[in-house]
Amino acid sequence: MRTALTLAAMAAAGGIIAGPAATAWADDSAQSTISQLQSQGYTVNIDRLGTGPMSKCVVTSVRNPQTQTQWVPYTGPGRGTDRTILVPQVTSQTISVSLDCSAH
């Protein structure tokens, strides 16, 4: 029981600590940065400066990753109905991306 609770706590902490690695995005286009975040499961909120086309936008920051979790009962193999262990499950992830789309 203690091991299962420790593993659940480590999984929860790992989900919070393991955020997106923003260093690789400096060389990517704005659209590829947004697509990469979406492929990682994020809903991307965009702050945009200027009215230029997306192909001319530059990512100025990626910030504020938010992860919502919900505790759900573990129902894996070998578990009897006499004891319930709760484990965290990610229900949603959001992140903000700021773009500079002003004419250069």
Side-chain angles (χ1 to χ4, degrees), residues 1-2 36 62 68 72 96 99-101:
M1 172 84 171
R2 186 177 206 179
Q36 183 178 6
V62 177
Q68 299 293 321
V72 296
S96 297
L99 304 177
D100 182 358
C101 304

Side-chain angles (χ1 to χ4, degrees), residues 1-90:
M1 172 84 171
R2 186 177 206 179
T3 303
L5 291 176
T6 302
L7 289 174
M10 289 172 51
I16 294 168
I17 293 171
T23 56
W25 297 333
D27 297 331
D28 290 345
S29 70
Q31 186 59 58
S32 71
T33 298
I34 292 166
S35 296
Q36 183 178 6
L37 288 166
Q38 289 172 334
S39 72
Q40 293 175 15
Y42 285 96
T43 299
V44 179
N45 298 318
I46 300 171
D47 301 322
R48 185 176 173 139
L49 175 65
T51 59
M54 181 67 79
S55 61
K56 300 294 182 184
C57 294
V58 176
V59 175
T60 58
S61 72
V62 177
R63 66 193 185 293
N64 202 22
Q66 300 288 317
T67 301
Q68 299 293 321
T69 59
Q70 178 179 349
W71 291 93
V72 296
Y74 172 72
T75 56
R79 299 296 311 160
T81 58
D82 58 334
R83 294 185 350 206
T84 301
I85 295 177
L86 298 176
V87 295
Q89 179 179 25
V90 174

